[in-house]
Structures are given as structure tokens and as C-alpha cells.
Amino acid sequence: MKPIVSFDMDMTLLDHSTNEIPDSAMEAIRRLRENHVIVLATGRDMDSHFSVRLRDLVKADAIVHTNGAKVTVKDQVIHESHMSGELKRRLLEFAADHELAVGVTIGNDDFYTHPECVTKNDLERWGDCGRQYRDPWTLMEMKVPSMCYIGPPEGAALIGAAFPELRLPLFAGKQGADIIEARNSKANGLELLCKYFGTSMEEAYAFGDSMNDYEIIKAVGTGIAMGNGDPRLKEAADYVTADISHDGIYKACVHFGLI
């Protein structure tokens, strides 16, 4: 069976300096597709309106969304887990009380405590904010695989100390963090896909740049860290390639004879 090649999205495939996937990375994916299963493994929900453009551009065979809380093959959901009502309530109350922006984007809507913090971050990062905010307490009636925190690293540390059952790996730009239940990881999601496609983790390759990629980089046969990645991830990886802006994905695929 075809081995899997897995890619993180932000600052692995998607260059935040241009908000585009480099041409060399797209060429690598095009050439990989014939003999490999292409997987996206990301903290994003790739079905959200912020991500569908990228999802449809890459055309992955399968996706590990929201750090393993949802796994899809084409349009089929093969795995999904959700935060309990009790956990959502405690998390939203804590965020509201500590003036932290915590929530999630679902479809075209954004459900966040302290949305002013999200707007401030978007304006600083993108120069624009087109979010459609809704009451975050509506999430109590919705299925929520995971959430995220928007703000400086200190806020993520505060949440992590109060919720030992959660992990909060920082975003690539350290302007926020994914909020993940400890039972979920990209590695667990990829293992499900290996079983689905009849291949193995030992045969798989995974590219990443930040600490939410740590488990998957360690679990696969060949873990590849981007040159612009977190130093701790580079130490864990089997190979460190060039930066995203210097054709890191393409160069690593050539190095390992994948293309």
C-alpha cells in the first residue's frame, strides 16, 4: 500500500509572511500524490471558513483536524471526539473571569469569550478582522472537538496550570494556543489513518514546525522538522530541512527520494 506523507499547515505548508503555500511545496505535493497518501495534520478545523481555501488547494486524501479530535477521509468522518459539557463550562467560566479569549470558529461564526482580544490580535497580525462573533455560551449546546486561546503565551500557561487534563501547544507565531484534551493528538489521528489505508506509522513521513507536532514527529518512521521550527521539535525530529521560505518541503522530499 502507499505510505503516508503528512503535513502540518501553519508555517509548514502555509507561509504566514505571504499567506500562501510556496510553489515548491505545491509541486512536491503534486509529485508525491502518485505514490503516496497525502495527509494534512493540523490544529485547524480545515472545514472552517478560514481554512477551506487551503483545504481545497491541497486536495489531501485525508485530514487530521483539530489535533486529532476529528479525522476525515474525503467527505467521510471516520473519527470525532467532543469536549464534555462540564469541561466546556469550566473553561468558558475561567476564561471569562480571567479576561482571556477562549473559543472556537465553527462555519462562518466565531464563539469567543472576550472577543475584543481576538479582534486586537487579528488587526495586529493581518490588518483586518472580518469575524462574526456569537455568544460563546452557545457552545454549551454544540459539539465542540477542541478550542483555542488567542493571546500571549502567559495566558496559555495560566489555562494549562488550571486544567491539567488539557494540553495547550502554542501556535507557530506564539500569538495563541490550541486547547486540546490530553487524549487527542495528531499522532493518534494519523494512526487511525494508517489502519484505514492499510499502511503503517513506521512507513509514514510527517512534516511539522511547532510543539503540537511533537507527538506525530516522534511516532512516525521519519519525522521532519522545518528549519523555522521550534528548537525542541528539531531535537525530536529525524531530519531538519530548510525554512518554509527556502523550499524546505521540496528539499526534504528530494533528500529522502520521495520525488
Side-chain angles (χ1 to χ4, degrees), residues 62-117:
I63 304 176
V64 178
H65 308 252
T66 58
N67 294 293
K70 181 171 81 170
V71 182
T72 58
V73 178
K74 300 301 183 183
D75 295 329
Q76 177 188 4
V77 178
I78 68 168
H79 169 76
E80 193 167 20
S81 65
H82 304 103
M83 289 182 164
S84 69
E86 185 267 343
L87 176 57
K88 288 187 289 186
R89 178 187 57 77
R90 289 193 295 118
L91 189 54
L92 291 173
E93 287 179 350
F94 183 88
D97 291 345
H98 290 80
E99 299 185 357
L100 301 172
V102 166
V104 65
T105 299
I106 299 176
N108 294 324
D109 297 322
D110 297 275
F111 303 85
Y112 279 91
T113 59
H114 294 283
E116 70 279 2
C117 299

Side-chain angles (χ1 to χ4, degrees), residues 7 12 22 24-25 28 207 224-228 239-256:
F7 299 96
T12 298
S24 63
F207 287 80
I224 303 167
M226 302 299 291
N228 49 275
Y239 182 75
V240 178
T241 188
D243 290 6
I244 186 173
S245 57
H246 292 90
D247 305 321
I249 286 175
Y250 189 92
K251 289 176 179 176
C253 289
V254 170
H255 173 82
F256 286 105

Side-chain angles (χ1 to χ4, degrees), residues 207-242:
F207 287 80
D209 73 291
S210 62
M211 289 306 287
N212 71 352
D213 298 306
Y214 183 86
E215 290 86 2
I216 196 170
I217 289 290
K218 292 289 287 183
V220 296
T222 307
I224 303 167
M226 302 299 291
N228 49 275
D230 189 297
R232 295 168 294 174
L233 190 72
K234 292 179 182 180
E235 290 181 8
D238 298 296
Y239 182 75
V240 178
T241 188

Side-chain angles (χ1 to χ4, degrees), residues 130-146:
R131 296 182 186 262
Q132 300 182 59
Y133 293 115
R134 301 289 184 261
D135 180 2
W137 287 99
T138 307
L139 294 174
M140 294 300 299
E141 309 302 323
M142 302 170 72
K143 293 181 177 180
V144 179
S146 66

Side-chain angles (χ1 to χ4, degrees), residues 184-224:
N184 293 323
S185 72
K186 293 182 182 183
N188 291 343
L190 193 68
E191 190 165 3
L192 287 173
L193 288 175
C194 283
K195 293 176 181 177
Y196 182 94
F197 287 106
T199 184
S200 70
M201 293 289 276
E202 290 74 21
E203 295 176 282
Y205 295 77
F207 287 80
D209 73 291
S210 62
M211 289 306 287
N212 71 352
D213 298 306
Y214 183 86
E215 290 86 2
I216 196 170
I217 289 290
K218 292 289 287 183
V220 296
T222 307
I224 303 167

Side-chain angles (χ1 to χ4, degrees), residues 1-183:
M1 299 299 292
K2 295 179 179 180
I4 285 175
V5 182
S6 168
F7 299 96
D8 170 53
M9 179 54 71
D10 292 278
M11 291 307 290
T12 298
L13 276 179
L14 180 67
D15 189 339
H16 286 180
S17 69
T18 62
N19 201 32
E20 298 292 341
I21 299 174
D23 290 342
S24 63
M26 290 303 302
E27 174 63 15
I29 289 172
R30 185 189 68 79
R31 295 177 62 182
L32 284 167
R33 203 179 300 277
E34 181 177 354
N35 297 309
H36 301 83
V37 175
I38 305 298
V39 170
L40 292 176
T42 173
R44 293 175 179 239
D45 181 347
M46 293 303 296
D47 296 325
S48 77
H49 74 281
F50 286 113
S51 302
V52 290
R53 175 183 72 88
L54 300 167
R55 180 199 66 190
D56 295 345
L57 180 64
V58 175
K59 294 182 175 63
D61 298 297
I63 304 176
V64 178
H65 308 252
T66 58
N67 294 293
K70 181 171 81 170
V71 182
T72 58
V73 178
K74 300 301 183 183
D75 295 329
Q76 177 188 4
V77 178
I78 68 168
H79 169 76
E80 193 167 20
S81 65
H82 304 103
M83 289 182 164
S84 69
E86 185 267 343
L87 176 57
K88 288 187 289 186
R89 178 187 57 77
R90 289 193 295 118
L91 189 54
L92 291 173
E93 287 179 350
F94 183 88
D97 291 345
H98 290 80
E99 299 185 357
L100 301 172
V102 166
V104 65
T105 299
I106 299 176
N108 294 324
D109 297 322
D110 297 275
F111 303 85
Y112 279 91
T113 59
H114 294 283
E116 70 279 2
C117 299
V118 182
T119 297
K120 179 177 181 291
N121 178 80
D122 283 5
L123 292 174
E124 291 176 352
R125 185 177 175 192
W126 308 112
D128 185 34
C129 180
R131 296 182 186 262
Q132 300 182 59
Y133 293 115
R134 301 289 184 261
D135 180 2
W137 287 99
T138 307
L139 294 174
M140 294 300 299
E141 309 302 323
M142 302 170 72
K143 293 181 177 180
V144 179
S146 66
M147 294 193 199
C148 67
Y149 155 74
I150 305 296
E154 295 77 15
L158 190 65
I159 297 169
F163 292 85
E165 68 270 44
L166 300 176
R167 295 187 295 116
L168 283 90
L170 295 174
F171 297 160
K174 295 183 171 54
Q175 78 285 1
D178 295 310
I179 301 177
I180 314 162
E181 291 189 80
R183 59 180 171 153

